[in-house]
C-alpha cells in the first residue's frame, strides 16, 4: 500500500479562507479587528521561523499584529511587565509567548501570568483544565491542528486505537486528552508512549492512528507501523542546510519506508506545521469574538 498524503498546506488554506471571511464580517458588522501579540526571547532559528510565520499569517488574514522581540538575557520582571501590559491592551485579544524560554526565565510563572481569556496557545492551567474536562475555550494549536487534519481527511477516530509517541505539554499530553474526549472527531482509545516505555514497537504496531512527536528523526521505522495505519508526523528536525542556506527539515518518521505501509501520512514540511499557525489564528479570532460577546 502507498499512503495518501495529508496536505496540511491545503487544509490550512481552506481554514484560513474561512477565517478571513469571518474577520471581514467581524470588521464590517462590529468594527472589531482581532489582535495578536507575540513575544520572543532570543534568536533560536526554529522559534524565529515560527514567530515570523505567525506574524505573516496574522497580517494576511487582516489581524492587528504586534511582535515583541527581546534579547535572550531579558530579566523575568521585564517579561512579566510586558505580559501584563498586553493583558490590559484592548487592541490585543491573543498573547503568545514563544517557548522554550531561556533557562533563567521561570516559564510556568510567565504562562500563568497570561490572562486565560487571551491565552490563544491554550497553555494556561485554567485552559488545560477546561480541555481535560471537555469544555475547552482554546485548544493548544498543534493538537487542535492534528484533530482538524483527521476530521477534514475523513479519518474515523471513533473507537480507533490511537498511539501517541511523546508526552510533552505542547503536543503529546494534549492530543491524547483531546482524542479521548466523548466528542466528534475524538472517542478514541488512546495510549501514550514515551522515553521510558518498555517496548515501543509493541504499542505502535497496534495503532490505527499513530501520532509521533518524539523529536528525533527516524524514531518510527516501517517495522513499527501496522499495514494501513494513519501516520501523523509532528517532528520538525533540522537535518542539514541547503546550498542557499535554508534548513533541510525531516520529521520523526522514516517517511520513504513508512509511506509504503500506511494508508495516510503527513509530510514534513507541509503536514502538521501549517496547521499549528492556522489554529492560532482561529483561537485569536475566537478570543476577539468572546471578548465582544459574539457567538
Ligand atoms: N513552541 C513550539 N510550538 C509552540 C506553540 O505552539 N506556541 C508557543 N508559544 N511556543 C511554541
Amino acid at each position: 500500500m502507498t499512503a495518501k498524503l495529508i496536505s496540511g498546506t491545503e487544509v490550512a488554506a481552506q481554514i484560513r479562507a474561512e477565517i478571513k471571511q469571518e474577520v471581514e464580517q467581524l470588521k464590517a458588522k462590529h468594527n472589531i479587528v482581532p489582535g495578536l501579540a507575540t513575544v520572543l526571547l532570543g534568536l533560536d532559528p526554529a522559534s524565529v521561523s515560527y514567530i515570523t510565520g505567525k506574524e505573516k499569517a496574522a497580517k494576511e488574514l487582516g489581524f492587528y499584529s504586534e511582535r515583541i522581540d527581546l534579547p535572550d538575557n531579558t530579566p523575568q520582571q521585564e517579561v512579566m511587565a510586558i505580559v501584563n501590559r498586553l493583558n490590559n491592551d484592548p487592541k490585543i485579544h491573543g498573547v503568545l509567548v514563544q517557548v522554550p524560554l531561556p533557562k533563567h526565565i521561570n516559564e510556568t510563572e510567565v504562562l500563568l501570568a497570561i490572562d486565560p481569556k487571551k491565552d490563544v496557545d491554550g497553555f494556561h492551567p485554567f485552559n488545560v483544565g477546561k480541555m481535560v474536562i471537555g469544555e475547552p475555550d482554546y485548544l493548544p494549536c498543534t493538537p487542535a491542528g492534528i484533530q482538524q487534519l483527521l476530521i477534514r481527511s475523513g479519518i474515523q477516530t471513533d473507537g480507533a486505537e490511537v498511539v501517541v509517541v511523546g508526552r510533552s505539554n505542547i503536543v503529546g499530553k494534549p492530543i491524547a486528552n483531546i482524542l479521548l474526549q466523548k466528542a466528534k472527531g475524538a472517542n478514541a482509545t488512546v495510549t501514550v508512549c514515551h522515553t521510558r516505555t518498555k517496548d515501543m514497537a509493541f504499542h505502535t504496531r497496534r495503532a490505527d492512528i499513530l501520532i509521533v512527536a518524539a523529536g528525533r528523526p527516524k524514531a518510527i521505522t516501517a517495522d513499527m507501523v501496522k499495514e494501513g495505519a494513519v501516520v501523523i508526523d509532528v517532528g520538525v528536525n533540522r537535518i542539514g542546510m541547503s546550498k542557499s542556506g535554508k534548513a533541510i527539515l525531516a520529521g520523526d518518521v522514516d517517511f520513504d519506508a513508512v509511506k509504503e505501509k500506511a494508508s495516510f501520512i503527513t509530510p514534513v514540511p507541509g503536514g502538521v506545521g501549517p496547521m499549528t499557525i492556522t489554529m492560532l489564528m482561529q483561537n485569536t479570532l475566537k478570543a476577539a469574538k468572546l471578548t465582544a460577546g459574539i457567538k
Side-chain angles (χ1 to χ4, degrees):
M1 173 179 280
T2 299
K4 281 195 191 127
L5 274 193
I6 300 178
S7 169
T9 310
E10 278 172 26
V11 177
Q14 227 176 58
I15 300 176
R16 286 187 200 192
E18 293 163 15
I19 296 173
K20 198 167 180 176
Q21 217 172 25
E22 264 202 75
V23 171
E24 280 162 12
Q25 279 176 12
L26 201 60
K27 270 186 203 168
K29 281 197 199 152
H30 302 278
N31 201 24
I32 295 169
V33 178
L36 173 68
T38 58
V39 181
L40 171 64
L41 268 73
L43 294 168
D44 170 67
S47 294
V48 170
S49 153
Y50 285 137
I51 289 285
T52 305
K54 288 165 185 171
E55 197 188 22
K56 187 164 164 263
K59 288 201 172 129
E60 275 168 12
L61 293 177
F63 288 19
Y64 170 72
S65 152
E66 202 171 312
R67 173 173 171 168
I68 299 165
D69 285 306
L70 301 167
D72 66 357
N73 62 356
T74 305
Q76 177 93 20
Q77 283 320 308
E78 200 175 321
V79 180
M80 298 297 278
I82 288 167
V83 168
N84 198 33
R85 170 174 73 72
L86 296 169
N87 281 343
N88 291 302
D89 183 342
K91 291 194 300 304
I92 300 296
H93 303 99
V95 177
L96 176 144
V97 179
Q98 186 69 23
V99 296
L101 285 160
K103 284 209 169 59
H104 70 281
I105 298 280
N106 180 337
E107 193 166 294
T108 308
E109 197 185 350
V110 173
L111 297 181
L112 263 173
I114 296 172
D115 181 345
K117 292 193 192 71
K118 297 194 177 189
D119 171 38
V120 286
D121 257 329
F123 290 171
H124 191 290
F126 180 81
N127 287 317
V128 175
K130 291 199 80 170
M131 170 187 70
V132 172
I133 63 170
E135 292 175 19
D137 288 328
Y138 307 112
L139 289 176
C141 302
T142 300
I146 293 170
Q147 188 184 35
Q148 281 303 311
L149 280 182
L150 295 172
I151 292 172
R152 290 177 186 242
S153 305
I155 291 159
Q156 185 61 258
T157 53
D158 216 286
E161 291 287 340
V162 169
V163 176
V164 177
V165 180
R167 55 175 159 181
S168 69
N169 289 337
I170 300 184
V171 183
K173 283 184 206 161
I175 191 62
N177 249 295
I178 290 167
L179 293 180
L180 65 77
Q181 296 295 331
K182 195 170 189 173
K184 189 172 156 280
N187 283 320
T189 304
V190 182
T191 304
V192 182
C193 298
H194 47 77
T195 45
R196 296 295 179 95
T197 296
K198 279 193 191 136
D199 185 351
M200 181 86 76
F202 166 79
H203 295 285
T204 58
R205 275 192 218 114
R206 288 190 304 105
D208 300 317
I209 301 173
L210 179 60
I211 300 174
V212 190
R216 192 162 50 85
K218 300 202 175 160
I220 299 295
T221 46
D223 59 304
M224 298 169 79
V225 177
K226 181 168 81 174
E227 190 76 36
V230 174
V231 179
I232 306 291
D233 190 349
V234 191
V236 184
N237 303 293
R238 290 166 178 249
I239 56 165
M241 196 75 96
S242 73
K243 279 188 191 135
S244 61
K246 260 186 98 179
I248 300 169
L249 302 180
D252 291 347
V253 173
D254 183 357
F255 181 85
D256 290 335
V258 171
K259 80 175 190 325
E260 300 305 326
K261 239 175 150 179
S263 57
F264 288 87
I265 191 166
T266 58
V268 177
V272 175
M275 293 299 292
T276 297
I277 295 181
T278 303
M279 300 324 284
L280 175 70
M281 301 301 128
Q282 192 161 71
N283 280 348
T284 307
L285 170 62
K286 187 171 185 183
K289 284 166 50 181
L290 284 177
T291 307
I294 300 162
K295 281 261 164 85

